[in-house]
Amino acid sequence: QVQLVESGGGLVQAGGSLRLSCAASGRTFTGYPMGWFRQAPGKEREFGAAISSSGVRTYYADSVKGRFTISRDNAKNTVYLQMDSLKPEDTAVYYCNVGRYERPFVAGDYWGQGTQVTVSS
């Protein structure tokens, strides 16, 4: 089984940047697509970005397209989310996920504990 740990969240002003990391231990996720989701208080968890197993293909929700960049380093068993031009509406707990399918992205059963991102206006 795989253990996922997100890190890199914090407090940032609007327009700032953060880089989130999702590190895996145990079984490798090299052969699977990976995704980032977020959940704000009182809202459903929503899809943010996904990446193919090789890292060649990426997918983004319209709300983050052009501002966020997902990447992965399979040698390190780690997935990243570079977040630029942050907005207050980006405030949420961010989770990474080992996907079941790439296109369309379908979430799997493995989630990290989440990392809090707070963007002040």
Side-chain angles (χ1 to χ4, degrees):
Q1 57 185 22
V2 61
Q3 299 287 137
L4 303 175
V5 179
E6 299 95 337
S7 63
L11 175 64
V12 64
Q13 294 185 18
S17 298
L18 286 173
R19 190 194 192 202
L20 307 184
S21 297
C22 173
S25 61
R27 187 177 294 275
T28 179
F29 56 62
T30 300
Y32 297 87
M34 296 291 294
W36 282 97
F37 290 74
R38 65 187 185 183
Q39 187 167 25
K43 296 184 179 180
E44 294 183 349
R45 188 170 300 185
E46 66 176 2
F47 169 79
I51 188 167
S52 63
S53 60
S54 68
V56 171
R57 296 179 295 278
T58 58
Y59 311 88
Y60 300 94
D62 288 341
S63 59
V64 308
K65 192 174 300 181
R67 299 187 299 118
F68 292 7
T69 304
I70 187 171
S71 61
R72 67 192 297 164
D73 185 341
N74 285 340
K76 295 182 178 180
N77 230 18
T78 302
V79 179
Y80 306 96
L81 186 67
Q82 179 66 44
M83 309 165 68
D84 298 321
S85 301
L86 283 162
K87 304 175 181 179
E89 49 262 48
D90 294 320
T91 296
V93 177
Y94 285 71
Y95 302 88
C96 67
N97 173 264
V98 182
R100 291 183 178 273
Y101 302 100
E102 176 190 331
R103 188 186 300 168
F105 186 82
V106 177
D109 296 329
Y110 294 99
W111 299 87
Q113 85 289 347
T115 185
Q116 176 71 50
V117 172
T118 303
V119 184
S120 62
S121 60

